[in-house]
Amino acid sequence: MAQKSFQGDVIPGAHVDIRMWTKAAEVEDQAMRQLHNIAALPWVYKHVAVMPDVHYGKGATVGSVIAMQGAVSPAAVGVDIGCGMTAVRTSLRANDLPDDLRRLRSGIEKAVPVGFGMHKDVAFGDKDAKDWDRFWASFDDLSTAVKAETRRALLQMGTLGGGNHFLEVCLDEDDQVWLMLHSGSRGIGNLLAQHHIEVARGLAHNAALPDPDLAVFIAQTPQMAAYRHDLYWAQDYARRNRSVMMRLACEVLRKQFPQARFEEPISCHHNYVAEETHFGEELLVTRKGAIRAGQGDLGIIPGSMGTGSYIVRGLGNPDSFCSASHGAGRRMSRNQARKRFTAEDLAAQTAGVECRKDTGVVDEIPAAYKDIDQVIANQADLVEVVAKLRQVVCVKG
C-alpha cells in the first residue's frame, strides 16, 4: 500500500516543532499549552509527534510521542505504565453466537475481575509463561515504595480494572468473532509511577520547567537507573496481565463453544517507553496514548464502547517515530460527560451491544469520544487497516 501524504499541521515550538496528525484548531487550549511546554524541553529530539486522538492529560498530552536524548519524563508515560491492547481472532462465526449474549458476558465477568476486584488465588501459571518465578523474584528489586504490595500485585494479575478499560467480543466485516481487551499494570504500576514522578519533581535540574509534571530523569544518574528498572518491570507486568486475561476469556468461550479455536494474539502497549533508533540517533521514545507502528507492525486502535475498532498494520513513517494513535481519544472530560448524558443516552448509543448501561459507566458513552473513523482517516500515512471490528459484548468495570 502506498503511503499517503501528511495532512496535519506543523506548529513552531520553543525548542522543537509540534507535528500534528490533526488540525491545531481542533485541539483544546489546555492540550495545546501542554504540547508547547513539551516542545520547550531541551532534551526533546527533532519534534513532538501528535496523534489524531490527542487530548489533555496530566503532565504530557494523551496522544503524544516524545523522543528524548539522554532523558525521560515519567509523567509523559502516565500512571498506567504499559497500558495497552490485546486481540485474538477466533474460529467462531457470528452465527455460532446465540441471540441472547447475557450468558457470555456473565461468564467473562466471573472469570475476569473488574473495577477494584482481584482474584482469590493466583490466576497465572506455566500456560502463560515459563519464567513466572524469575519475574516475581524481581519484585524484591523494585522501589521500596511498593514493598507492601506483593500480594495485591499477585492477585491483580489477570484483572481488568475500571475507567476506559474493557474486554469485548467483536465481529469483523466477515462476521469472524474476535476477543479484544484493554488494560495495563493495575495498582502496582500506578504506585511505581507516582513514586518516580514525585522523585523527578524534586530534582534540582527540573526547578525551572514550565510544568513541574514534565520533570525528567537524566541519563547516567541513579534516579534514571531506578526508574528504568521499575518502568520495564511494570511494562512486563502489563503485558502479562493482558495475556492472563486473554487466556481466561478464551477459556470462557471454549467452555460455551467447544469448537472454538484461537489464533496468535496481537498485543501492543500504548503508554510506555522504548529504546529506539530514529534518524540515526539512539533515543528514549515515550508513547503516551500511542502505539508503535513500524513497517509491518500489527496494532489495535479501539473506538468507544458503542462504536467500531480497528486492527492496523504500521507503515513505518519516520516522522511519527513509527507511531500511530491508541484509540479514538476523548473529546470531553469524564465530569463533562456525567453532567451532560444520562443512562438513557448510554443505552441508546450502545443499542445492540450486551454491556452495562447504567450511570456508573456513563462517562464512557460513545459521544464523549472522537469519531474513530475520522481518527483512522487522519493517519492514513501511519497505518493501513487490516480489519474493522464492531463489539457485540462489552465488559467494563
Side-chain angles (χ1 to χ4, degrees):
M1 177 179 175
Q3 184 171 296
K4 298 184 179 180
S5 61
F6 174 72
Q7 299 294 320
D9 287 342
V10 179
I11 310 298
H15 174 62
V16 296
D17 289 344
I18 303 165
R19 193 174 181 90
M20 311 181 73
W21 273 259
T22 188
K23 297 299 182 184
E26 298 176 4
V27 181
E28 72 266 42
D29 291 343
Q30 273 186 305
M32 281 303 304
R33 285 194 293 271
Q34 282 188 323
L35 292 170
H36 277 287
N37 286 341
I38 295 166
L41 297 176
W43 307 277
V44 177
Y45 175 75
K46 201 166 183 69
H47 57 257
V48 180
V50 181
M51 300 297 99
D53 57 342
V54 58
H55 60 93
Y56 174 77
K58 182 174 174 58
T61 320
V62 178
S64 60
V65 182
I66 307 166
M68 289 192 182
Q69 291 182 302
V72 68
S73 171
V77 182
V79 294
D80 195 357
I81 298 172
C83 187
M85 303 288 304
T86 298
V88 169
R89 186 166 67 176
T90 81
S91 63
L92 297 174
R93 310 281 300 183
N95 57 14
D96 292 318
L97 301 178
D99 292 336
D100 189 341
L101 294 168
R102 283 177 293 182
R103 179 168 171 260
L104 181 53
R105 174 186 160 199
S106 177
I108 294 171
E109 289 173 339
K110 288 178 181 177
V112 179
V114 301
F116 294 105
M118 296 186 288
H119 289 285
K120 294 180 180 178
D121 199 357
V122 294
F124 55 88
D126 291 338
K127 289 182 181 178
D128 304 302
K130 296 179 180 179
D131 58 348
W132 281 102
D133 289 343
R134 176 202 58 78
F135 174 71
W136 285 112
S138 63
F139 189 97
D140 293 338
D141 299 325
L142 298 176
S143 163
T144 56
V146 299
K147 290 302 184 185
E149 298 299 320
T150 306
R151 183 161 180 77
R152 181 184 177 196
L154 281 166
L155 298 183
Q156 281 194 331
M157 175 65 74
T159 66
L160 190 64
N164 62 353
H165 293 167
F166 61 79
L167 198 162
E168 293 181 339
V169 180
C170 303
L171 301 177
D172 65 22
E173 292 176 309
D174 295 323
D175 278 346
Q176 202 82 23
V177 175
W178 292 66
L179 285 171
M180 183 170 68
L181 62 85
H182 171 209
S183 192
S185 52
R186 306 296 290 112
I188 190 67
N190 188 303
L191 287 172
L192 287 169
Q194 290 189 56
H195 166 71
H196 288 289
I197 288 169
E198 286 306 309
V199 170
R201 286 168 64 104
L203 298 176
H205 63 259
N206 292 315
L209 293 181
D211 181 351
D213 280 329
L214 290 175
V216 303
F217 293 122
I218 302 297
Q220 309 302 320
T221 64
Q223 294 90 351
M224 170 72 102
Y227 176 61
R228 289 176 70 173
H229 173 274
D230 290 0
L231 169 80
Y232 294 147
W233 186 92
Q235 289 178 180
D236 194 13
Y237 182 103
R239 177 186 62 82
R240 291 168 182 266
N241 182 45
R242 292 194 296 273
S243 176
V244 173
M245 277 191 288
M246 186 57 76
R247 175 177 60 77
L248 294 173
C250 288
E251 288 174 356
V252 172
L253 249 67
R254 191 178 288 114
K255 185 175 181 180
Q256 295 192 21
F257 310 96
Q259 76 275 26
R261 299 292 180 268
F262 305 92
E263 297 185 3
E264 284 297 307
I266 300 166
S267 188
C268 56
H269 291 323
H270 56 224
N271 284 5
Y272 74 113
V273 177
E275 301 173 35
E276 297 176 359
T277 300
H278 296 275
F279 304 100
E281 299 288 341
E282 294 182 4
L283 304 167
L284 285 168
V285 179
T286 300
R287 295 183 176 93
K288 182 175 183 178
I291 62 171
R292 178 168 172 81
Q295 184 71 47
D297 287 344
L298 287 174
I300 307 162
I301 303 178
S304 61
M305 62 191 289
T307 62
S309 296
Y310 286 86
I311 307 297
V312 299
R313 183 180 290 111
L315 298 177
N317 189 322
D319 288 332
S320 71
F321 300 100
C322 295
S323 306
S325 77
H326 84 311
R330 297 194 72 93
R331 68 183 186 91
M332 65 178 67
S333 71
R334 295 187 181 280
N335 285 337
Q336 287 173 323
R338 292 187 191 103
K339 291 175 181 177
R340 182 169 175 178
F341 298 107
T342 66
E344 289 74 22
D345 296 324
L346 177 63
Q349 293 185 30
T350 58
V353 181
E354 175 58 45
C355 64
R356 288 180 61 183
K357 301 178 191 286
D358 57 80
T359 55
V361 291
V362 77
D363 55 337
E364 284 292 297
I365 193 168
Y369 284 84
K370 296 179 182 180
D371 181 347
I372 183 62
D373 295 325
Q374 185 61 54
V375 167
I376 293 295
N378 284 4
Q379 54 191 323
D381 61 332
L382 305 183
V383 294
E384 60 179 342
V385 173
V386 174
K388 183 176 181 179
L389 311 181
R390 61 180 176 88
Q391 64 270 74
V392 293
V393 176
C394 179
V395 171
K396 295 188 74 69

